[in-house]
Amino acid sequence: LPVAMGQRGAGGLADRIRELTRRDEANGYCADCGAANPSYLCYHYGTLVCGTCAAVHRDAKRRVKPLAEATFDDVARVETVGNDRCNRKFLAKWNSRDFPQPPIGNAEKIREFIWLKYEGSWVKPKTAPPTPAPAP
């Protein structure tokens, strides 16, 4: 069973959480929308996310919790993956011109972006060629 902060070495766990952002600058920003100082952990992807993105992940039935409630196992997961590694995998084919990063706090755009990032496709749908005008 994972050990919660209050049960064993809360100071050590808090230090490990702070070290996540010191060691990797990408962890100082939400893995999905770029908001500064994310306060949630998405265990499923091993990332740190903001409250807006945490709600989207929670709605998708992914394990998310506030950093204040993180366990040693939770922190170990982020230490193993982290925002940079996760984004290198899921954003490898992303084109910001076709799919711009959503504005921070815009839940609807963030929901769409997260779906595209983790479950959808970065392939821009091809538009049908214009239909020729009927002959007079």
Side-chain angles (χ1 to χ4, degrees), residues 94-111:
W94 175 54
N95 179 329
S96 63
R97 285 174 304 193
D98 293 337
F99 302 98
Q101 188 165 13
I104 294 169
N106 184 325
E108 187 175 318
K109 295 279 188 190
I110 288 171
R111 183 175 306 283

Side-chain angles (χ1 to χ4, degrees), residues 114-132:
I114 288 174
W115 183 85
L116 286 167
K117 180 177 179 179
Y118 297 110
E119 298 171 27
S121 170
W122 292 120
V123 177
K124 188 173 183 179
K126 297 200 186 299
T127 56
T131 308

Side-chain angles (χ1 to χ4, degrees), residues 3 11 19 22 26 29 34 47-49 57 61 72 79 89 100 104 106-107 111 115-117 120 129 132-133:
V3 180
E19 184 62 25
R22 271 189 238 131
Y29 299 90
T47 58
L48 299 177
V49 296
H57 285 291
K61 306 295 186 229
F72 282 93
E79 288 171 337
K89 175 181 178 179
I104 294 169
N106 184 325
R111 183 175 306 283
W115 183 85
L116 286 167
K117 180 177 179 179

Side-chain angles (χ1 to χ4, degrees), residues 10-84:
L13 186 56
D15 290 341
R16 282 177 65 183
I17 290 170
R18 278 192 295 277
E19 184 62 25
L20 288 172
T21 57
R22 271 189 238 131
R23 192 184 71 218
D24 185 351
E25 184 181 342
N27 289 335
Y29 299 90
C30 175
D32 297 316
C33 76
N37 303 312
S39 56
Y40 289 82
L41 181 147
C42 179
Y43 187 87
H44 190 85
Y45 293 112
T47 58
L48 299 177
V49 296
C50 70
T52 303
C53 294
V56 172
H57 285 291
R58 194 175 294 113
D59 288 347
K61 306 295 186 229
R62 297 183 190 114
R63 189 167 133 196
V64 178
K65 64 171 67 174
L67 284 176
E69 297 175 13
T71 66
F72 282 93
D73 288 344
D74 296 330
V75 174
R77 173 79 171 140
V78 176
E79 288 171 337
T80 302
V81 181
N83 291 4
D84 183 58

